[in-house]
Amino acid sequence: MDKYALGDSGEMIAQKYLTENGYVILDTNVRYQNVGEIDIVAKDGGILVFVEVRARSNARFGHPLETITPAKIKKVVAASRRYLSLNKIPASGYRYDVVSVLRDTPMLIKNAFYAHW
């Protein structure tokens, strides 16, 4: 499986997992040129959640969570700021979660990282 197919599959697994756990998916694959990308935007109760999805078919080169770098976090945060400025979605707060998918098994980490506003 190529990396794009793996990424698409991982995002579908993550979406299914999130909805089964009470999240409401609002947007997927939100891209802002020269800013960044948000894999999934969802609501968890009253909280608006920006979800980064990381998928790997095996752990030979490390766990999917190991691929989240400070540069990636910076891009996700920048994209979330743009998203918030363009979409007035009522929320009681904001959060950054990560769903890692390893061998088609999802794992959710709530509050995986924070934005410095």
Side-chain angles (χ1 to χ4, degrees), residues 65-76:
L65 294 175
E66 294 178 83
T67 66
I68 300 174
T69 64
K72 180 62 179 173
I73 291 170
K74 185 176 178 181
K75 287 183 177 189
V76 171

Side-chain angles (χ1 to χ4, degrees), residues 9-114:
S9 173
E11 288 183 16
M12 295 303 295
I13 291 167
Q15 288 177 41
K16 182 176 186 266
Y17 180 81
L18 292 171
T19 56
E20 288 173 351
N21 285 279
Y23 286 60
V24 176
I25 307 295
L26 304 176
D27 266 316
T28 59
N29 298 311
V30 179
R31 290 181 177 91
Y32 299 109
Q33 188 174 0
N34 300 321
V35 176
E37 173 185 358
I38 307 165
D39 293 328
I40 300 171
V41 180
K43 287 207 70 179
D44 181 19
I47 307 285
L48 186 62
V49 184
F50 300 98
V51 182
E52 176 65 16
V53 178
R54 307 307 278 185
R56 289 225 169 137
S57 58
N58 62 59
R60 183 172 37 185
F61 297 109
H63 193 276
L65 294 175
E66 294 178 83
T67 66
I68 300 174
T69 64
K72 180 62 179 173
I73 291 170
K74 185 176 178 181
K75 287 183 177 189
V76 171
V77 169
S80 70
R81 287 183 177 148
R82 175 73 56 90
Y83 186 89
L84 290 170
S85 72
L86 298 173
N87 301 279
K88 305 301 180 201
I89 298 172
S92 59
Y94 309 96
R95 188 174 77 216
Y96 297 92
D97 291 357
V98 171
V99 175
S100 70
V101 180
L102 181 60
R103 294 182 204 94
D104 297 332
T105 302
M107 180 177 73
L108 172 64
I109 299 176
K110 292 184 177 186
N111 289 308
F113 54 88
Y114 299 93

